[in-house]
Amino acid sequence: MNLLRARLEQLGPPAKYRTIVLLTHPSRISVFTPVNLLLLTLALYLIYTRLRPNPSPTPPLHQSSSDQAIVFKTFTPKTLQPFNGTDNARVYLAVNRKVFDVTAGKGFYGPGGPYSNFAGRDASRGLALNSFDEEVLTEVGAPIDSLEDLKEEERVALNGWAEHFEGKYLLVGRLVEEGSEEAKEAEKEE
Amino acid sequence: MFDDLELNVVTYTLIALVLGLMILPVIFQKDPDIHPMILNRQSNMSPVRNPKESPVHRSTSSPPGYPLVSGLGLPTDQKYRTRDGDIRDVWNQAVKEGKGKVLSVRGSEIKELDIDQLTQNIHSLGSYIKSIPGARRIAIYLANDIENLVASFACAFYDLTLVVLPFDPKSSPDVASLLKRSKADVLIAPAGDLALNDVDGASSIKEIIYVVEPGSQHLDWTSPDGKVKTSVYHDVIKTPSTGAGNVDLDGPAIIVFGSKYIGEERSIEIAEFNHKQIIAGVASTIASIKPGPETLKPDDIFVPVDTLSDIYTRIFTYAALASGTTVALNPVAGVHANLELCIKHVRPTVIVASTSTLAYTASDAAGSRMEIWHNILHYFQCRTLESGRIPKGNALIRFNDYTRPNVGEPSRLRLVFSAEVAGDPDSHPLNSEDLNDLRACFGARVVYGLKHHKVAGPINQQHVYDYRVQPQTPKPSKKKDIPRKCAHFGGVTPGCEVFTRDWESFKASDAGGSRGEIVVRGPTVIGGEAPLGVAGKWWPDGVLSYV
């Protein structure tokens, strides 16, 4: 027995254990190999990104309210006329002294549409009489149609149309006589 | 080259660490409480604006063209109609939907009062006051306690006008002149609190009802010279009640006093609300707490930490009653109340506090963050807030936590409401960073808003899930005389619409957002429309702030 132990001590540990001891011995492991250094910097960088202040992404804001909204304007027949889809991209028309933005219905009221005669004009008489002819529109230079000679059923039709417009389209202004008090005030303010 | 690559234990550890850092946070990531796009549009703007005015802003739940929230929507006999209701319905809803009790807090003692007993008290008090000849206006000068509620609803049921005199437990405001101005007929006040000399000047007073605390009820409280009749509350509520009659919904129901500032001058203005405006305010408040999980529920406990003589706090209390929430009243509540003293024994879930109280609490908590570990904790809690969630804390926090304000052990607080008084130079501003610190401290949602004595309920209120921080640059400092600026007030509440009108250099067409004098319109506003006398600015995400 003692002979065996003495012989083992002489030989040293068996071969396979020797390799592991050799490889895992602290003096043999180099922490700072290029791979380790690379991974270490990567780990430190990731720790930094996970711990730094992290605001959740904010989606882009839309334009401020001052740019978005349309200003309610006072129109005269002359200033309303350009808004017919050709001189100005937006299409407005007037019903009962109220100006509506009908650009959404450009296919109907814009250039080339079936009701394009109404664009930029006072459409009240035309809607009351259910006619899209040129004759029912008053000239731009003339005073606004007073609609006094309308029959009862025509007034009912006109009110029905006015409600339709109020429900469907945006009210963007009012129509006043050229040279009236309100028109002058509105010009001054602008 | 790759033959020489030495992959040792350290390499494998580092590879595991790197992969872990890349993958694990993604797996365990939690969604923010709300989608950021919703916070980007907190008001509904009208597409057309009048010249010299900003577009009219409304709440997202009241789009332009639809009516503003004006009532509780109570069922009627007909199937598809709802009725707005009035202040009596607030109490009836509390009886129907609530848990049947109202709490009164005295220090660490919490008394539970049966709501049916209180209903009887209301009717007794109301009948008694109604039987006093010539009694139309009832002034109350009471702290936040059961008598305050009973008197308020007695006036509501019996068609009397409630005049709420400003009360503060820490100071004694001058009420004699206010009593005279309000032409009150009956005064309800704590016994021994108001000097009789103060009341002498008010010649219209026909009777004083003293609220006597239980310890002094054996004393005789009749007035010495017999000029004004006196009675005691604890006897009055025992009298039998006659039935309540009809109520005029358009007559003055609640009168409060507010400060009006013209330049440097301060005067006190009387604000008269009728039933319709109050109920619109209550409905607007209930509707402004969205979404569903955050609304006031019968399981909640609500404590007003500000005095009920402030119309905003009063409306919130009525909103809590109408939703069936258990209301707990603490007489310590006031504008400068200490938050801990007021609520730590009740452990509420929802509170309304004044900005002074919250500012004091925030600076207290900030002062206790002295160690580096506390600052690291606070840093990580703010990171959770930035990612859109409320930091709840874990075992690591309880290991060595800074002294947070004690809002109950364990805390149940989930909502804190506070509002800036529009145009008041003495109000305490709360910064966006202060609100952030408060959210981290309480572990609850802190909601800021805007209020005014001419509007019932909040005018603007932040979204409950809006935790965004807009740091104030340059930082406020007393040394350099840089004042603290208020955070933004959020979107508009469902009961009113707000716009700005051009004023001096602040125009509606300003780039970056319309600016001008803030004007409020709607069923919650006295007179339908009220300019607030202070300049505001609209931001692109639909929130209002001071200029």
Side-chain angles (χ1 to χ4, degrees), chain A residues 29-30 35-36 39-40 42-43 46-47 50-57 59-62 64-66 69-72 170-171, chain B residues 5 8 10-11 14-15 18 21-22 25 36-37 40-41 45 47-51 379-380 383 386 508 510 512-514 540-541:
Chain A
I29 298 175
S30 53
V35 182
N36 283 1
L39 286 172
L40 190 65
L42 189 60
L46 282 171
I47 293 175
R50 295 298 177 200
L51 294 184
R52 69 179 169 190
N54 186 17
S56 47
L61 292 168
H62 49 249
S64 66
S65 50
S66 55
I70 305 172
V71 184
F72 188 90
L170 206 53
L171 176 70
Chain B
L5 220 52
N8 51 34
V10 178
T11 318
L14 284 173
I15 291 179
V18 165
L21 280 170
M22 285 200 287
M37 296 241 17
N40 255 7
R41 31 183 70 242
M45 289 175 257
V48 186
R49 66 180 185 88
N50 283 330
Y379 172 77
F380 279 107
R383 271 187 98 238
E386 270 173 25
D510 283 342
S514 306
D541 47 2

Short mmCIF file of all heavy atoms in Angstrom, two decimals, chain A residues 29-30 35-36 39-40 42-43 46-47 50-57 59-62 64-66 69-72 170-171, chain B residues 5 8 10-11 14-15 18 21-22 25 36-37 40-41 45 47-51 379-380 383 386 508 510 512-514 540-541:
data_model
loop_
_atom_site.label_atom_id
_atom_site.label_comp_id
_atom_site.label_asym_id
_atom_site.label_seq_id
_atom_site.Cartn_x
_atom_site.Cartn_y
_atom_site.Cartn_z
N ILE A 29 -5.70 31.54 -16.72
CA ILE A 29 -6.82 32.16 -17.46
C ILE A 29 -6.51 33.62 -17.66
O ILE A 29 -6.23 34.35 -16.72
CB ILE A 29 -8.12 32.04 -16.66
CG1 ILE A 29 -8.46 30.57 -16.47
CG2 ILE A 29 -9.24 32.77 -17.34
CD1 ILE A 29 -9.65 30.38 -15.60
N SER A 30 -6.57 34.03 -18.88
CA SER A 30 -6.35 35.45 -19.11
C SER A 30 -7.72 36.09 -19.36
O SER A 30 -8.42 35.75 -20.29
CB SER A 30 -5.42 35.64 -20.29
OG SER A 30 -5.93 34.94 -21.38
N VAL A 35 -11.26 38.76 -27.28
CA VAL A 35 -12.68 38.41 -27.29
C VAL A 35 -13.35 38.88 -26.00
O VAL A 35 -14.42 39.49 -26.01
CB VAL A 35 -12.85 36.88 -27.43
CG1 VAL A 35 -14.32 36.53 -27.49
CG2 VAL A 35 -12.13 36.40 -28.66
N ASN A 36 -12.67 38.61 -24.89
CA ASN A 36 -13.24 38.99 -23.60
C ASN A 36 -13.40 40.49 -23.49
O ASN A 36 -14.40 41.00 -23.00
CB ASN A 36 -12.34 38.49 -22.46
CG ASN A 36 -12.54 37.00 -22.25
OD1 ASN A 36 -13.31 36.37 -22.95
ND2 ASN A 36 -11.84 36.44 -21.28
N LEU A 39 -16.35 41.57 -25.56
CA LEU A 39 -17.63 41.25 -24.90
C LEU A 39 -17.84 42.12 -23.68
O LEU A 39 -18.97 42.52 -23.38
CB LEU A 39 -17.64 39.77 -24.51
CG LEU A 39 -17.83 38.79 -25.66
CD1 LEU A 39 -17.62 37.37 -25.19
CD2 LEU A 39 -19.21 38.94 -26.26
N LEU A 40 -16.75 42.43 -22.97
CA LEU A 40 -16.89 43.27 -21.78
C LEU A 40 -17.39 44.66 -22.14
O LEU A 40 -18.29 45.21 -21.52
CB LEU A 40 -15.55 43.33 -21.05
CG LEU A 40 -15.59 43.98 -19.66
CD1 LEU A 40 -16.42 43.13 -18.72
CD2 LEU A 40 -14.18 44.13 -19.11
N LEU A 42 -19.04 45.46 -24.76
CA LEU A 42 -20.42 45.32 -25.22
C LEU A 42 -21.37 45.23 -24.04
O LEU A 42 -22.43 45.89 -24.01
CB LEU A 42 -20.54 44.05 -26.09
CG LEU A 42 -21.87 43.88 -26.84
CD1 LEU A 42 -22.09 45.03 -27.77
CD2 LEU A 42 -21.86 42.57 -27.61
N ALA A 43 -20.97 44.43 -23.03
CA ALA A 43 -21.83 44.29 -21.84
C ALA A 43 -21.98 45.62 -21.12
O ALA A 43 -23.08 46.01 -20.72
CB ALA A 43 -21.26 43.23 -20.91
N LEU A 46 -24.33 47.86 -23.00
CA LEU A 46 -25.74 47.47 -22.85
C LEU A 46 -26.26 47.85 -21.47
O LEU A 46 -27.40 48.30 -21.33
CB LEU A 46 -25.89 45.97 -23.08
CG LEU A 46 -25.87 45.56 -24.55
CD1 LEU A 46 -25.80 44.06 -24.68
CD2 LEU A 46 -27.08 46.08 -25.28
N ILE A 47 -25.42 47.67 -20.45
CA ILE A 47 -25.86 48.08 -19.10
C ILE A 47 -26.14 49.57 -19.09
O ILE A 47 -27.15 50.04 -18.54
CB ILE A 47 -24.80 47.71 -18.05
CG1 ILE A 47 -24.70 46.20 -17.91
CG2 ILE A 47 -25.12 48.33 -16.70
CD1 ILE A 47 -23.60 45.75 -16.98
N ARG A 50 -29.47 50.29 -20.76
CA ARG A 50 -30.63 49.86 -19.98
C ARG A 50 -30.87 50.75 -18.77
O ARG A 50 -31.97 50.82 -18.25
CB ARG A 50 -30.46 48.41 -19.49
CG ARG A 50 -30.40 47.38 -20.59
CD ARG A 50 -31.66 47.33 -21.40
NE ARG A 50 -31.57 46.38 -22.50
CZ ARG A 50 -32.33 46.39 -23.58
NH1 ARG A 50 -33.24 47.31 -23.70
NH2 ARG A 50 -32.19 45.48 -24.52
N LEU A 51 -29.83 51.42 -18.29
CA LEU A 51 -29.98 52.18 -17.05
C LEU A 51 -30.12 53.68 -17.26
O LEU A 51 -30.42 54.40 -16.34
CB LEU A 51 -28.79 51.92 -16.12
CG LEU A 51 -28.68 50.51 -15.57
CD1 LEU A 51 -27.53 50.44 -14.59
CD2 LEU A 51 -29.96 50.10 -14.87
N ARG A 52 -29.86 54.16 -18.47
CA ARG A 52 -29.91 55.61 -18.65
C ARG A 52 -31.36 56.07 -18.72
O ARG A 52 -32.27 55.25 -18.93
CB ARG A 52 -29.17 56.00 -19.92
CG ARG A 52 -29.90 55.54 -21.16
CD ARG A 52 -29.18 55.94 -22.41
NE ARG A 52 -29.77 55.26 -23.56
CZ ARG A 52 -29.23 55.26 -24.75
NH1 ARG A 52 -28.09 55.90 -24.96
NH2 ARG A 52 -29.82 54.63 -25.74
N PRO A 53 -31.63 57.38 -18.57
CA PRO A 53 -33.00 57.89 -18.65
C PRO A 53 -33.64 57.49 -19.97
O PRO A 53 -33.01 57.60 -21.01
CB PRO A 53 -32.84 59.40 -18.57
CG PRO A 53 -31.53 59.62 -17.95
CD PRO A 53 -30.68 58.45 -18.26
N ASN A 54 -34.85 57.03 -19.91
CA ASN A 54 -35.44 56.37 -21.07
C ASN A 54 -36.84 56.88 -21.36
O ASN A 54 -37.81 56.22 -21.04
CB ASN A 54 -35.49 54.87 -20.77
CG ASN A 54 -35.95 54.08 -21.97
OD1 ASN A 54 -35.94 54.56 -23.08
ND2 ASN A 54 -36.38 52.85 -21.72
N PRO A 55 -36.97 58.05 -21.95
CA PRO A 55 -38.33 58.53 -22.19
C PRO A 55 -39.00 57.71 -23.27
O PRO A 55 -38.38 57.31 -24.23
CB PRO A 55 -38.12 59.97 -22.67
CG PRO A 55 -36.74 60.01 -23.18
CD PRO A 55 -35.95 58.98 -22.46
N SER A 56 -40.30 57.42 -23.07
CA SER A 56 -41.01 56.65 -24.09
C SER A 56 -41.12 57.52 -25.33
O SER A 56 -41.25 58.73 -25.24
CB SER A 56 -42.38 56.23 -23.59
OG SER A 56 -43.05 57.31 -23.01
N PRO A 57 -41.10 56.93 -26.50
CA PRO A 57 -41.05 57.74 -27.72
C PRO A 57 -42.32 58.59 -27.85
O PRO A 57 -43.42 58.10 -27.65
CB PRO A 57 -40.97 56.70 -28.84
CG PRO A 57 -41.46 55.43 -28.24
CD PRO A 57 -41.14 55.49 -26.79
N PRO A 59 -44.81 60.56 -30.22
CA PRO A 59 -45.12 60.71 -31.63
C PRO A 59 -45.09 62.18 -32.02
O PRO A 59 -45.26 63.04 -31.15
CB PRO A 59 -46.55 60.15 -31.76
CG PRO A 59 -46.97 59.76 -30.41
CD PRO A 59 -45.95 60.15 -29.41
N PRO A 60 -44.89 62.48 -33.30
CA PRO A 60 -44.80 63.91 -33.67
C PRO A 60 -46.14 64.60 -33.44
O PRO A 60 -47.19 64.03 -33.68
CB PRO A 60 -44.45 63.86 -35.16
CG PRO A 60 -44.88 62.51 -35.61
CD PRO A 60 -44.75 61.60 -34.44
N LEU A 61 -46.09 65.81 -32.94
CA LEU A 61 -47.31 66.56 -32.68
C LEU A 61 -47.82 67.15 -33.98
O LEU A 61 -47.04 67.52 -34.84
CB LEU A 61 -47.03 67.69 -31.70
CG LEU A 61 -46.69 67.25 -30.29
CD1 LEU A 61 -46.16 68.43 -29.51
CD2 LEU A 61 -47.92 66.72 -29.61
N HIS A 62 -49.15 67.26 -34.08
CA HIS A 62 -49.65 67.94 -35.27
C HIS A 62 -49.48 69.45 -35.09
O HIS A 62 -49.06 69.91 -34.04
CB HIS A 62 -51.11 67.56 -35.54
CG HIS A 62 -51.99 67.68 -34.34
ND1 HIS A 62 -52.52 66.59 -33.71
CD2 HIS A 62 -52.42 68.74 -33.64
CE1 HIS A 62 -53.25 66.99 -32.70
NE2 HIS A 62 -53.22 68.29 -32.64
N SER A 64 -49.81 73.39 -34.51
CA SER A 64 -50.46 74.08 -33.40
C SER A 64 -51.83 74.57 -33.83
O SER A 64 -52.12 74.75 -35.01
CB SER A 64 -49.61 75.26 -32.97
OG SER A 64 -49.57 76.21 -34.00
N SER A 65 -52.68 74.82 -32.85
CA SER A 65 -54.07 75.17 -33.12
C SER A 65 -54.18 76.43 -33.96
O SER A 65 -55.10 76.60 -34.72
CB SER A 65 -54.82 75.35 -31.81
OG SER A 65 -54.10 76.21 -30.97
N SER A 66 -53.20 77.32 -33.82
CA SER A 66 -53.33 78.59 -34.55
C SER A 66 -53.20 78.35 -36.04
O SER A 66 -53.78 79.08 -36.84
CB SER A 66 -52.28 79.58 -34.08
OG SER A 66 -51.00 79.00 -34.21
N ALA A 69 -56.84 75.92 -37.62
CA ALA A 69 -58.25 76.29 -37.76
C ALA A 69 -58.45 77.34 -38.83
O ALA A 69 -57.60 78.19 -39.06
CB ALA A 69 -58.78 76.80 -36.43
N ILE A 70 -59.60 77.27 -39.49
CA ILE A 70 -59.96 78.27 -40.49
C ILE A 70 -60.59 79.44 -39.74
O ILE A 70 -61.41 79.25 -38.85
CB ILE A 70 -61.00 77.69 -41.47
CG1 ILE A 70 -60.45 76.40 -42.08
CG2 ILE A 70 -61.36 78.68 -42.54
CD1 ILE A 70 -61.47 75.66 -42.90
N VAL A 71 -60.22 80.65 -40.13
CA VAL A 71 -60.77 81.82 -39.46
C VAL A 71 -62.13 82.15 -40.06
O VAL A 71 -62.29 82.18 -41.27
CB VAL A 71 -59.83 83.02 -39.60
CG1 VAL A 71 -60.36 84.19 -38.81
CG2 VAL A 71 -58.44 82.65 -39.14
N PHE A 72 -63.11 82.39 -39.22
CA PHE A 72 -64.46 82.76 -39.66
C PHE A 72 -64.40 84.14 -40.27
O PHE A 72 -64.04 85.11 -39.61
CB PHE A 72 -65.38 82.74 -38.43
CG PHE A 72 -66.82 82.91 -38.76
CD1 PHE A 72 -67.61 81.81 -39.02
CD2 PHE A 72 -67.40 84.16 -38.78
CE1 PHE A 72 -68.96 81.95 -39.29
CE2 PHE A 72 -68.74 84.32 -39.05
CZ PHE A 72 -69.52 83.21 -39.31
N LEU A 170 -68.74 72.57 -43.25
CA LEU A 170 -68.23 73.47 -42.23
C LEU A 170 -68.68 74.90 -42.51
O LEU A 170 -68.55 75.39 -43.62
CB LEU A 170 -66.69 73.40 -42.28
CG LEU A 170 -65.90 73.73 -41.06
CD1 LEU A 170 -66.38 72.90 -39.90
CD2 LEU A 170 -64.44 73.44 -41.34
N LEU A 171 -69.19 75.58 -41.48
CA LEU A 171 -69.58 76.99 -41.61
C LEU A 171 -68.34 77.84 -41.44
O LEU A 171 -67.73 77.85 -40.38
CB LEU A 171 -70.62 77.33 -40.54
CG LEU A 171 -71.08 78.77 -40.47
CD1 LEU A 171 -71.91 79.10 -41.68
CD2 LEU A 171 -71.89 78.99 -39.22
N LEU B 5 -8.33 31.52 -31.14
CA LEU B 5 -9.35 32.13 -30.26
C LEU B 5 -9.47 31.33 -28.98
O LEU B 5 -9.77 30.15 -29.00
CB LEU B 5 -10.68 32.10 -30.99
CG LEU B 5 -11.56 33.34 -30.85
CD1 LEU B 5 -10.78 34.58 -31.18
CD2 LEU B 5 -12.74 33.23 -31.76
N ASN B 8 -12.63 31.10 -22.84
CA ASN B 8 -12.55 30.53 -21.49
C ASN B 8 -13.82 30.84 -20.71
O ASN B 8 -14.80 31.34 -21.27
CB ASN B 8 -11.30 31.05 -20.78
CG ASN B 8 -11.23 32.57 -20.84
OD1 ASN B 8 -12.27 33.24 -20.80
ND2 ASN B 8 -10.04 33.11 -20.95
N VAL B 10 -14.54 33.04 -18.58
CA VAL B 10 -14.96 34.45 -18.55
C VAL B 10 -15.72 34.79 -19.82
O VAL B 10 -16.72 35.51 -19.81
CB VAL B 10 -13.72 35.36 -18.39
CG1 VAL B 10 -14.13 36.80 -18.42
CG2 VAL B 10 -12.99 35.02 -17.12
N THR B 11 -15.24 34.25 -20.96
CA THR B 11 -15.91 34.52 -22.24
C THR B 11 -17.35 34.04 -22.20
O THR B 11 -18.27 34.75 -22.61
CB THR B 11 -15.18 33.80 -23.38
OG1 THR B 11 -13.78 33.92 -23.20
CG2 THR B 11 -15.59 34.38 -24.71
N LEU B 14 -19.48 36.24 -20.06
CA LEU B 14 -19.80 37.51 -20.71
C LEU B 14 -20.80 37.33 -21.84
O LEU B 14 -21.67 38.17 -22.05
CB LEU B 14 -18.51 38.15 -21.25
CG LEU B 14 -17.63 38.79 -20.18
CD1 LEU B 14 -16.32 39.24 -20.78
CD2 LEU B 14 -18.33 39.96 -19.54
N ILE B 15 -20.69 36.23 -22.58
CA ILE B 15 -21.67 36.00 -23.65
C ILE B 15 -23.06 35.85 -23.04
O ILE B 15 -24.04 36.41 -23.56
CB ILE B 15 -21.30 34.74 -24.46
CG1 ILE B 15 -20.04 34.99 -25.28
CG2 ILE B 15 -22.44 34.35 -25.39
CD1 ILE B 15 -19.58 33.80 -26.08
N VAL B 18 -24.28 39.32 -22.02
CA VAL B 18 -24.68 40.17 -23.15
C VAL B 18 -26.01 39.72 -23.71
O VAL B 18 -26.92 40.53 -23.97
CB VAL B 18 -23.58 40.15 -24.24
CG1 VAL B 18 -24.11 40.71 -25.53
CG2 VAL B 18 -22.38 40.94 -23.78
N LEU B 21 -28.74 40.71 -21.34
CA LEU B 21 -29.04 42.14 -21.39
C LEU B 21 -29.81 42.51 -22.65
O LEU B 21 -30.56 43.47 -22.67
CB LEU B 21 -27.75 42.95 -21.34
CG LEU B 21 -27.15 43.13 -19.96
CD1 LEU B 21 -25.76 43.73 -20.07
CD2 LEU B 21 -28.03 44.01 -19.11
N MET B 22 -29.59 41.76 -23.70
CA MET B 22 -30.31 42.10 -24.93
C MET B 22 -31.73 41.56 -24.92
O MET B 22 -32.66 42.21 -25.38
CB MET B 22 -29.55 41.56 -26.14
CG MET B 22 -28.32 42.36 -26.46
SD MET B 22 -27.75 42.12 -28.14
CE MET B 22 -27.06 40.50 -28.02
N PRO B 25 -34.71 42.23 -21.00
CA PRO B 25 -35.56 43.43 -20.85
C PRO B 25 -36.69 43.45 -21.87
O PRO B 25 -37.76 43.98 -21.59
CB PRO B 25 -34.59 44.58 -21.08
CG PRO B 25 -33.26 44.02 -20.72
CD PRO B 25 -33.29 42.60 -21.14
N PRO B 36 -49.13 56.73 -26.29
CA PRO B 36 -48.70 58.14 -26.32
C PRO B 36 -49.51 58.99 -27.29
O PRO B 36 -49.63 60.19 -27.10
CB PRO B 36 -47.24 58.07 -26.78
CG PRO B 36 -46.82 56.67 -26.59
CD PRO B 36 -48.03 55.81 -26.58
N MET B 37 -50.11 58.38 -28.33
CA MET B 37 -50.87 59.20 -29.28
C MET B 37 -52.11 59.79 -28.63
O MET B 37 -52.57 60.85 -29.02
CB MET B 37 -51.27 58.38 -30.51
CG MET B 37 -50.12 57.92 -31.31
SD MET B 37 -49.94 58.44 -33.01
CE MET B 37 -50.94 59.81 -33.28
N ASN B 40 -51.42 62.92 -27.06
CA ASN B 40 -51.12 63.97 -28.01
C ASN B 40 -52.33 64.74 -28.46
O ASN B 40 -52.24 65.73 -29.16
CB ASN B 40 -50.49 63.34 -29.27
CG ASN B 40 -49.02 63.58 -29.30
OD1 ASN B 40 -48.48 64.09 -28.34
ND2 ASN B 40 -48.39 63.22 -30.38
N ARG B 41 -53.51 64.25 -28.12
CA ARG B 41 -54.70 65.00 -28.48
C ARG B 41 -55.66 64.95 -27.30
O ARG B 41 -56.54 64.10 -27.23
CB ARG B 41 -55.37 64.45 -29.73
CG ARG B 41 -55.20 62.96 -29.95
CD ARG B 41 -55.82 62.47 -31.23
NE ARG B 41 -55.12 62.91 -32.41
CZ ARG B 41 -55.67 63.68 -33.35
NH1 ARG B 41 -56.91 64.06 -33.22
NH2 ARG B 41 -54.98 64.04 -34.40
N MET B 45 -60.58 70.18 -30.89
CA MET B 45 -60.57 71.58 -31.31
C MET B 45 -61.58 71.78 -32.42
O MET B 45 -61.72 70.94 -33.30
CB MET B 45 -59.19 71.94 -31.84
CG MET B 45 -58.18 72.02 -30.74
SD MET B 45 -56.55 72.29 -31.40
CE MET B 45 -55.90 70.65 -31.26
N PRO B 47 -62.93 73.16 -35.90
CA PRO B 47 -62.16 73.44 -37.12
C PRO B 47 -62.23 74.90 -37.56
O PRO B 47 -61.42 75.33 -38.36
CB PRO B 47 -62.80 72.54 -38.18
CG PRO B 47 -64.03 72.01 -37.57
CD PRO B 47 -64.10 72.33 -36.14
N VAL B 48 -63.21 75.66 -37.05
CA VAL B 48 -63.32 77.07 -37.44
C VAL B 48 -63.14 77.91 -36.19
O VAL B 48 -63.60 77.54 -35.12
CB VAL B 48 -64.72 77.36 -38.03
CG1 VAL B 48 -64.77 78.77 -38.55
CG2 VAL B 48 -65.02 76.38 -39.13
N ARG B 49 -62.46 79.03 -36.33
CA ARG B 49 -62.34 79.90 -35.17
C ARG B 49 -62.74 81.31 -35.57
O ARG B 49 -62.60 81.72 -36.71
CB ARG B 49 -60.90 79.89 -34.64
CG ARG B 49 -59.87 80.49 -35.57
CD ARG B 49 -58.49 80.42 -34.93
NE ARG B 49 -57.48 81.08 -35.74
CZ ARG B 49 -57.19 82.37 -35.67
NH1 ARG B 49 -57.83 83.15 -34.83
NH2 ARG B 49 -56.27 82.89 -36.45
N ASN B 50 -63.26 82.06 -34.60
CA ASN B 50 -63.59 83.44 -34.86
C ASN B 50 -62.31 84.25 -34.94
O ASN B 50 -61.32 83.92 -34.30
CB ASN B 50 -64.46 83.99 -33.72
CG ASN B 50 -65.89 83.51 -33.84
OD1 ASN B 50 -66.36 83.28 -34.94
ND2 ASN B 50 -66.54 83.35 -32.72
N PRO B 51 -62.31 85.33 -35.72
CA PRO B 51 -61.09 86.15 -35.74
C PRO B 51 -60.85 86.70 -34.34
O PRO B 51 -61.78 86.95 -33.60
CB PRO B 51 -61.42 87.28 -36.72
CG PRO B 51 -62.88 87.23 -36.91
CD PRO B 51 -63.34 85.87 -36.60
N TYR B 379 -34.31 57.84 -8.86
CA TYR B 379 -33.97 57.84 -10.27
C TYR B 379 -34.67 56.69 -10.99
O TYR B 379 -35.27 56.87 -12.06
CB TYR B 379 -32.46 57.75 -10.43
CG TYR B 379 -32.00 57.55 -11.85
CD1 TYR B 379 -32.00 58.60 -12.74
CD2 TYR B 379 -31.62 56.30 -12.29
CE1 TYR B 379 -31.60 58.42 -14.05
CE2 TYR B 379 -31.23 56.12 -13.60
CZ TYR B 379 -31.21 57.18 -14.48
OH TYR B 379 -30.83 56.98 -15.77
N PHE B 380 -34.61 55.51 -10.39
CA PHE B 380 -35.23 54.36 -11.05
C PHE B 380 -36.75 54.48 -11.06
O PHE B 380 -37.41 54.07 -12.02
CB PHE B 380 -34.79 53.05 -10.40
CG PHE B 380 -33.46 52.60 -10.89
CD1 PHE B 380 -32.33 52.69 -10.09
CD2 PHE B 380 -33.31 52.12 -12.18
CE1 PHE B 380 -31.10 52.30 -10.56
CE2 PHE B 380 -32.08 51.73 -12.65
CZ PHE B 380 -30.97 51.82 -11.84
N ARG B 383 -37.63 56.65 -13.84
CA ARG B 383 -37.52 55.93 -15.11
C ARG B 383 -38.80 55.15 -15.41
O ARG B 383 -39.26 55.09 -16.54
CB ARG B 383 -36.36 54.95 -15.09
CG ARG B 383 -35.07 55.57 -15.52
CD ARG B 383 -34.00 54.52 -15.64
NE ARG B 383 -33.84 54.10 -17.01
CZ ARG B 383 -33.97 52.86 -17.45
NH1 ARG B 383 -34.31 51.91 -16.61
NH2 ARG B 383 -33.77 52.57 -18.71
N GLU B 386 -41.24 57.54 -16.64
CA GLU B 386 -40.98 57.95 -18.02
C GLU B 386 -41.48 56.92 -19.01
O GLU B 386 -41.91 57.26 -20.10
CB GLU B 386 -39.47 58.10 -18.23
CG GLU B 386 -38.94 59.46 -17.96
CD GLU B 386 -37.44 59.47 -18.04
OE1 GLU B 386 -36.86 58.61 -18.73
OE2 GLU B 386 -36.84 60.34 -17.40
N ALA B 508 -54.32 85.18 -30.98
CA ALA B 508 -54.74 83.82 -31.33
C ALA B 508 -53.92 83.27 -32.47
O ALA B 508 -53.85 82.07 -32.67
CB ALA B 508 -56.22 83.82 -31.70
N ASP B 510 -50.72 83.48 -32.81
CA ASP B 510 -49.31 83.32 -32.46
C ASP B 510 -48.81 81.96 -32.92
O ASP B 510 -49.49 80.96 -32.78
CB ASP B 510 -49.13 83.41 -30.93
CG ASP B 510 -49.20 84.85 -30.47
OD1 ASP B 510 -49.03 85.75 -31.30
OD2 ASP B 510 -49.40 85.05 -29.26
N GLY B 512 -46.87 78.57 -32.68
CA GLY B 512 -46.61 77.70 -31.53
C GLY B 512 -47.83 77.50 -30.65
O GLY B 512 -47.81 76.69 -29.75
N GLY B 513 -48.88 78.24 -30.90
CA GLY B 513 -50.09 78.03 -30.11
C GLY B 513 -50.80 79.34 -29.84
O GLY B 513 -50.17 80.36 -29.59
N SER B 514 -52.14 79.32 -29.88
CA SER B 514 -52.90 80.54 -29.64
C SER B 514 -52.72 80.99 -28.22
O SER B 514 -52.66 80.18 -27.30
CB SER B 514 -54.39 80.27 -29.87
OG SER B 514 -54.60 79.72 -31.12
N PRO B 540 -49.95 72.35 -28.91
CA PRO B 540 -50.43 71.52 -30.02
C PRO B 540 -51.12 70.23 -29.57
O PRO B 540 -51.95 69.70 -30.30
CB PRO B 540 -49.17 71.19 -30.81
CG PRO B 540 -48.21 72.27 -30.47
CD PRO B 540 -48.53 72.69 -29.08
N ASP B 541 -50.81 69.75 -28.36
CA ASP B 541 -51.50 68.51 -27.96
C ASP B 541 -52.81 68.80 -27.25
O ASP B 541 -53.41 67.92 -26.65
CB ASP B 541 -50.59 67.62 -27.11
CG ASP B 541 -49.89 68.38 -26.01
OD1 ASP B 541 -50.13 69.60 -25.89
OD2 ASP B 541 -49.10 67.77 -25.29
#
